[in-house]
Amino acid sequence: MKILFAASEAVPYAASGGLADVVGSLPKAISAKGHECAVVIPLYQSIKPELRGDMEFVTNITVDVSWRKQYCGIYTAERDGVTYFFIDNEYYFQRVGLYGFYDDCERFVFFDRAVLEMLKYISFKPDIINCNDWQTALIPVYYQIYYKYQQGYDKIKTVFTIHNIEYQGKYGKEVLSEVMGIPSYNTGLLEYDGYINMLKGALETSDKLITVSPSYAWEILDPWYAHGLDRILVTKQYKLQGIMNGIDTKLYDPAHDPCIAWRYTSDELSGKVKCKAELLSELGMNDNGEPLIGIVTRFVRHKGIDLIRCVFEEIVRSGVKFAVLGSGEKMYEDFFLEMARRYPERVSVNVGFIPELSHKIYAGADMFLMPSQSEPCGLAQMIAMRYGTIPIVRETGGLRDSVRDNGGENGNGFTFKTYNAFDMLDAVWRAKRDYYDSDRWEALVKRAMSCDFSWSSSADTYIETFEDMIKEQ
Ligand code: GLC
């Protein structure tokens, strides 16, 4: 099988969140099982020169963006058994940052059109195109309208993966003809609640819809999680499936990680203790045996920061330290920075996206707090467990599917159900109590570290799903 993954980000080229980790690791895992995988992303300005050095120019073509005719360069590179393609257009992608521009709709209309056009000029002929999130949502739409009946395109199946239903690509109706170049008789494919909604277009036209955890696949049928799309999703259940993400277990491996001061395994945990000491000293805190909670996140509402805000000082004053790393909404940044000012001996806050420090926190913290309001999958809780750092999570989406409460003897973390700060607080107190019972804690750490969060079994499920789709012809 040949599978093309289209996305707006992929590790190591461009990353702003979990989407990049998945696009950087799932194709590798599928190709290791004997299928040919390719990935296509925009050629952003932020891609590092050393990575650009490995790229080869393929060709340049012209892409229609409604009435516009735009230049499109195609570059390629090989990496870990996966072929990468890069779509070049300086007007759209030579900018600081990945998204958040007034013309994001036009930028990704260009990209989506370019991905389909590119197929005429490269030797990679996919059986499946797997699109990811709203930035690539028009690929299945254009495929259905313009490409399906063209020679060489007729047997392709489209899959759309929802990493987060909150981001939909909603615009005014004028974009339909002016930017997308979609005839008015196809308005119904994209119109929803009076907007043009790119994600809705993908839900309508893709052959298969995948969510990044089994729980999220049924949660998004509920208005609380669906951000308006539940009414259409309930009609698409026949093609909706949840497949749990994995993590890159090579990149995140306490036994070999070059970012951390000491390496360790579940049989020999002394390195983890030293990592904690090292982290605390790097962050300017002393190691007096108090538990250390790590938080590595984007500072946005759905990550549950409001719950943290509500009871943060109560937790800190009880004798708990925090190592916080993240960036996002200013009000949350300001809150955490104020906490670091108020409690310098117990709270450290770094604002930014600093992969190396994140590894140090995953390794050095005792617990990892992730009380998300919604969480399509969540990778950080799985990474934390791989480093023996015990997650405290709300039971939603992928958190619910990966973390079992340690109330009995068999958990790998601590969980709570209701989106309520005091329910979260109760889970923190239970974690803290177990932390001071060193035998119980060590058994828990070992259990968490022995969980298998590699891509292997999920990659098998993806392969089966793709193969079934191809058979359906
Ligand atoms: C998005 C989701 C997150 C998921 C990631 C990768 O960032 O919010 O839950 O883990 O995509 O699929």
Side-chain angles (χ1 to χ4, degrees):
M1 246 182 335
K2 291 198 173 87
I3 307 127
L4 174 66
F5 292 85
S8 57
E9 40 185 281
V11 165
Y13 299 99
S16 78
L19 167 65
D21 289 286
V22 172
V23 181
S25 53
L26 171 62
K28 254 199 279 187
I30 294 181
S31 99
K33 290 178 184 278
H35 300 279
E36 276 181 65
C37 291
V39 174
V40 55
I41 62 166
L43 186 67
Y44 296 109
Q45 170 178 300
S46 57
I47 296 179
K48 296 210 176 84
E50 59 268 30
L51 292 168
R52 278 177 192 257
D54 295 335
M55 295 178 192
E56 261 174 50
F57 178 74
V58 179
T59 186
N60 65 284
I61 60 176
T62 301
V63 168
D64 291 349
V65 177
S66 182
W67 47 267
R68 305 161 191 82
K69 303 268 176 214
Q70 301 292 36
Y71 167 89
C72 169
I74 302 168
Y75 289 79
T76 188
E78 292 289 322
R79 200 184 169 84
D80 301 323
V82 176
T83 306
Y84 286 82
F85 294 102
F86 303 89
I87 299 294
D88 179 34
N89 176 299
E90 296 199 350
Y91 170 65
Y92 291 129
F93 300 125
Q94 286 291 311
R95 305 184 188 188
V96 178
L98 307 186
Y99 334 109
F101 302 101
Y102 76 93
D103 57 349
D104 278 356
C105 176
E106 185 180 325
R107 297 169 72 224
F108 288 100
V109 162
F110 163 75
F111 177 71
D112 290 1
R113 220 36 223 267
V115 168
L116 287 162
E117 274 303 304
M118 171 184 83
L119 299 180
K120 294 178 186 151
Y121 303 92
I122 59 174
S123 57
F124 188 90
K125 304 290 175 208
D127 302 299
I128 302 276
I129 303 181
N130 190 339
C131 306
N132 295 274
D133 276 358
W134 73 267
Q135 295 91 339
T136 55
L138 285 193
I139 294 176
V141 177
Y142 285 134
Y143 178 74
Q144 174 158 320
I145 301 179
Y146 292 128
Y147 292 87
K148 200 171 177 169
Y149 301 106
Q150 286 189 38
Q151 203 187 358
Y153 285 87
D154 48 331
K155 294 219 164 57
I156 299 176
K157 295 278 177 182
T158 53
V159 177
F160 185 79
T161 304
I162 303 168
H163 294 263
N164 193 334
I165 200 144
E166 189 174 343
Y167 307 114
Q168 300 175 0
K170 290 199 242 178
Y171 297 96
K173 285 208 187 112
E174 69 284 357
V175 299
L176 196 71
S177 67
E178 187 59 15
V179 179
M180 297 175 171
I182 290 179
S184 57
Y185 56 79
N186 276 318
T187 307
L189 291 180
L190 287 144
E191 188 185 353
Y192 195 71
D193 284 346
Y195 294 97
I196 293 302
N197 185 319
M198 292 167 72
L199 197 69
K200 192 249 184 175
L203 303 183
E204 288 283 5
T205 54
S206 304
D207 296 312
K208 183 99 204 166
L209 303 171
I210 292 181
T211 60
V212 287
S213 68
S215 288
Y216 198 58
W218 53 261
E219 282 181 350
I220 56 174
L221 304 177
D222 182 319
W224 164 257
Y225 290 103
H227 294 272
L229 288 174
D230 46 294
R231 278 175 289 119
I232 171 152
L233 275 161
V234 290
T235 70
K236 306 294 177 198
Q237 289 178 69
Y238 67 95
K239 58 177 179 182
L240 177 63
Q241 181 184 354
I243 305 178
M244 190 73 185
N245 282 335
I247 54 170
D248 187 331
T249 46
K250 245 180 158 174
L251 182 66
Y252 298 109
D253 179 3
H256 297 104
D257 189 337
C259 301
I260 60 179
W262 303 86
R263 317 269 175 255
Y264 58 93
T265 62
S266 59
D267 295 330
E268 180 42 67
L269 284 165
S270 59
K272 181 163 175 63
V273 179
K274 292 186 200 156
C275 282
K276 178 178 177 182
E278 184 80 24
L279 175 66
L280 286 169
S281 103
E282 184 178 329
L283 300 177
M285 298 188 276
N286 68 351
D287 188 6
N288 57 0
E290 289 175 349
L292 173 64
I293 299 185
I295 296 177
V296 178
T297 185
R298 280 183 293 127
F299 294 151
V300 290
R301 177 177 295 265
H302 83 87
K303 293 290 179 184
I305 318 276
D306 290 326
L307 299 193
I308 297 176
R309 240 183 355 173
C310 189
V311 291
F312 192 81
E313 295 196 74
E314 191 171 343
I315 301 174
V316 173
R317 289 199 199 122
S318 81
V320 174
K321 294 192 168 70
F322 277 91
V324 181
L325 169 62
S327 62
E329 286 177 36
K330 177 128 188 351
M331 69 170 176
Y332 295 131
E333 285 184 13
D334 288 348
F335 162 73
F336 281 121
L337 290 169
E338 171 60 20
M339 289 299 108
R341 264 190 296 274
R342 261 187 224 175
Y343 304 99
E345 71 293 344
R346 289 211 175 112
V347 179
S348 144
V349 174
N350 278 279
V351 173
F353 182 79
I354 316 171
E356 196 174 314
L357 179 59
S358 74
H359 285 235
K360 291 180 183 170
I361 295 175
Y362 289 127
D366 299 298
M367 301 153 197
F368 192 86
L369 183 58
M370 207 168 163
S372 304
Q373 196 171 27
S374 65
E375 196 59 77
C377 178
L379 304 173
Q381 81 281 11
M382 295 190 273
I383 300 170
M385 283 187 266
R386 178 131 173 93
Y387 285 84
T389 299
I390 301 305
I392 303 171
V393 306
R394 190 172 95 80
E395 291 170 28
T396 180
L399 298 174
R400 183 175 175 281
D401 294 339
S402 58
V403 184
R404 291 185 312 276
D405 190 84
N406 199 41
E409 290 298 311
N410 210 10
N412 55 6
F414 295 89
T415 71
F416 63 100
K417 264 204 179 72
T418 313
Y419 189 68
N420 178 301
F422 297 95
D423 286 12
M424 179 190 86
L425 193 59
D426 177 67
V428 172
W429 293 156
R430 288 189 295 115
K432 194 176 166 203
R433 194 186 56 209
D434 279 8
Y435 169 82
Y436 283 112
D437 179 343
S438 50
D439 291 343
R440 190 173 159 85
W441 191 258
E442 191 178 319
L444 171 60
V445 167
K446 290 190 168 172
R447 258 193 320 273
M449 289 182 83
S450 68
C451 296
D452 178 9
F453 296 120
S454 73
W455 268 108
S456 184
S457 76
S458 297
D460 287 338
T461 314
Y462 269 94
I463 292 168
E464 253 169 61
T465 305
F466 294 156
E467 279 173 346
D468 286 350
M469 290 175 68
I470 291 173
K471 268 186 236 145
E472 272 167 24
Q473 302 271 22

